[in-house]
Amino acid sequence: MTLLLDTLALQPVDRRPVWVMRQAGRYLPEYRELRRRHAFQDAIRDPKVASEITLQPIRRFGFDGAIMFADIMTPLEAMGVDMTFDPGPKLRPMTLVEIADLPDLDLDRVEHVAETLRIVRREVPDEVTVIGFAGAPTTLLAYLLEGSGSKEYLPLRTAMHEGTPELDAALAKLTTNMHAYLAMQIGAGAQLVQLFDSWAGILPRDLLESRSYVAARDVLAGLDAPTIYFAPGTGHAHKSMGEVGATAYGVDWRVPIDVAWDRIGSDIAIQGNLDPAILLTDPDRIRRCVARLLERTAGRPGHIVSLGHGIDRHTPLENVAAFIDAVREAT
Ligand code: CP3
């Protein structure tokens, strides 16, 4: 067992584990250096490069979790969806029927993801937990219908309100395939998987409950590893989030972590939730904010320390170090 896995199992630990979303990314000079030579999608498709990028933040900062380098859109490319990244995904917007009719994920076409995980699992120190991930059906649907990121996600919200059989079919297609994708990752060495529902928070509570949480639950059900469900901006629907049945829940910075924890559930672990903007300030402030965060969960097993969303690419390295040191020193 690792620190992260013990924490997920609500076991008492000597200190709290820490990792951050997007830790393998552009705030790291060694990442930017590699990206000069490899385009984003090529870096994901080459297990040597992808595993190296996964390991970069572990070497530099000693995070307790190593999240594999890929994108939530990677398995959709292996279902025949063409896209580019600029820096977010860009693709031809699709209809619900086109999405429902996509071919099922060809595991051979994501063999590079399996190989990346095998390499990472071999190379990381035993105490570091290897983390796999997928996008949740609602969030993938948002991109497929819109063709890119957006502020409003009106095509998603319209389709969700209409609630047609075609919506059910499109969500079912994404649900079964992301379940298979995560099962493959666990088989290849992922010890923990996180489901990213990054844009679900744009939905009203009733649709989150009747669609997003149900689909997320079905993706995670029966997987042979602990799971984290991360759906930022869902403070209006924390009380029912436990229906997803994950081992742990990631919370963003909007709600105090202990308040979110009580609302989501008591027999679960929780991950978060420092505002990534705090890492853009200064080491002293970061230490104070970390101390306040840790006080809020003091004496309660099951807290994975992290940010409320991905680390910003302008984050100074010394601030990341201050963040991790503050967590480590606090025990
Ligand atoms: O370090 C890690 O967390 C692992 C790698 C990872 C990436 N994307 C690499 C990446 C993970 C887990 C993701 C997930 C992802 N991708 C999500 C869910 C997480 C979240 O932020 O809510 C989403 C919504 C995407 C879609 C996506 N991919 C966006 C919106 C962007 C632009 C991001 C930005 O920061 O501007 C990407 C591109 C992307 N994915 C980059 C990285 C490192 C930047 C690519 C580059 O080098 O130019």
Side-chain angles (χ1 to χ4, degrees), residues 15-16 18 274 279 283-292 294 305 318-331:
R15 63 171 180 83
R16 283 170 256 200
V18 55
L274 205 71
L279 290 199
D284 278 346
R285 185 178 306 277
I286 291 166
R287 279 189 279 271
R288 287 199 302 276
C289 291
V290 168
R292 266 205 301 274
L294 298 186
V305 181
E318 58 166 3
N319 287 2
V320 183
F323 167 59
I324 294 168
D325 288 348
V327 178
R328 296 258 152 92
E329 283 157 19
T331 68

Side-chain angles (χ1 to χ4, degrees), residues 23-38 49 52-61 63 317:
Q23 66 186 25
R26 288 175 294 176
Y27 73 106
L28 281 180
E30 55 270 37
Y31 172 83
R32 294 195 300 267
E33 161 63 25
L34 261 184
R35 281 276 285 99
R36 269 203 286 276
R37 284 179 279 131
H38 306 274
V49 178
E52 173 58 24
I53 294 174
T54 305
L55 294 166
Q56 283 176 343
I58 309 303
R59 291 200 195 103
R60 188 185 271 273
F61 294 115
F63 286 110
L317 296 172

Side-chain angles (χ1 to χ4, degrees), residues 21-26 31 35 40 67-72 85 87-89 133 143 196 198-199 309:
M21 295 176 271
R22 291 280 161 84
Q23 66 186 25
R26 288 175 294 176
Y31 172 83
R35 281 276 285 99
F40 180 65
I67 185 161
M68 68 171 190
F69 179 71
D71 196 83
I72 56 168
F85 283 81
F133 70 89
Y143 278 118
F196 286 94
S198 306
W199 314 130
H309 207 147

Side-chain angles (χ1 to χ4, degrees), residues 6 26 42 63 68 79 99 101 141 170 173 188 234 249 253 258 283:
D6 281 336
R26 288 175 294 176
D42 295 340
F63 286 110
M68 68 171 190
M79 293 168 72
I99 296 163
D101 285 346
L141 189 65
K173 166 66 62 174
T234 51
Y249 294 84
W253 63 89
D258 48 327

Side-chain angles (χ1 to χ4, degrees), residues 120-324:
V120 170
R121 186 67 190 273
R122 213 165 47 228
E123 305 256 320
V124 289
D126 285 345
E127 63 272 17
V128 175
T129 307
V130 176
I131 307 172
F133 70 89
T138 297
T139 290
L140 297 178
L141 189 65
Y143 278 118
L144 291 170
L145 290 173
E146 185 120 11
S148 67
S150 130
K151 273 210 175 71
E152 299 286 353
Y153 289 107
L154 287 166
L156 172 80
R157 285 154 63 196
T158 308
M160 286 281 190
H161 282 293
E162 286 170 345
T164 58
E166 290 76 19
L167 173 75
D168 291 334
L171 283 170
K173 166 66 62 174
L174 296 168
T175 299
T176 46
N177 281 286
M178 290 312 110
H179 177 87
Y181 182 55
L182 288 176
M184 176 281 281
Q185 293 178 35
I186 294 164
Q191 297 159 286
L192 158 67
V193 292
Q194 176 157 316
L195 192 63
F196 286 94
D197 218 346
S198 306
W199 314 130
I202 197 130
L203 296 174
R205 184 194 293 157
D206 58 338
L207 290 175
L208 259 170
E209 291 172 346
S210 63
R211 301 290 184 183
S212 309
Y213 290 173
V214 172
R217 179 196 68 202
D218 292 346
V219 170
L220 298 180
L223 288 175
D224 200 12
T227 59
I228 300 174
Y229 178 64
F230 173 63
T234 51
H236 57 300
H238 272 166
K239 280 205 170 125
S240 45
M241 195 182 266
E243 286 164 23
V244 171
T247 317
Y249 294 84
V251 297
D252 70 32
W253 63 89
R254 293 173 181 85
V255 182
I257 194 158
D258 48 327
V259 174
W261 203 340
D262 289 339
R263 285 188 193 155
I264 299 171
S266 52
D267 54 347
I268 48 131
I270 207 91
Q271 175 171 285
N273 73 340
L274 205 71
D275 188 339
I278 292 170
L279 290 199
L280 298 175
T281 65
D282 58 89
D284 278 346
R285 185 178 306 277
I286 291 166
R287 279 189 279 271
R288 287 199 302 276
C289 291
V290 168
R292 266 205 301 274
L293 169 65
L294 298 186
E295 263 167 41
R296 287 188 167 276
T297 61
R300 192 167 175 173
H303 180 200
I304 301 160
V305 181
S306 192
L307 303 179
H309 207 147
I311 186 167
D312 184 81
R313 69 190 172 108
H314 301 294
T315 306
L317 296 172
E318 58 166 3
N319 287 2
V320 183
F323 167 59
I324 294 168

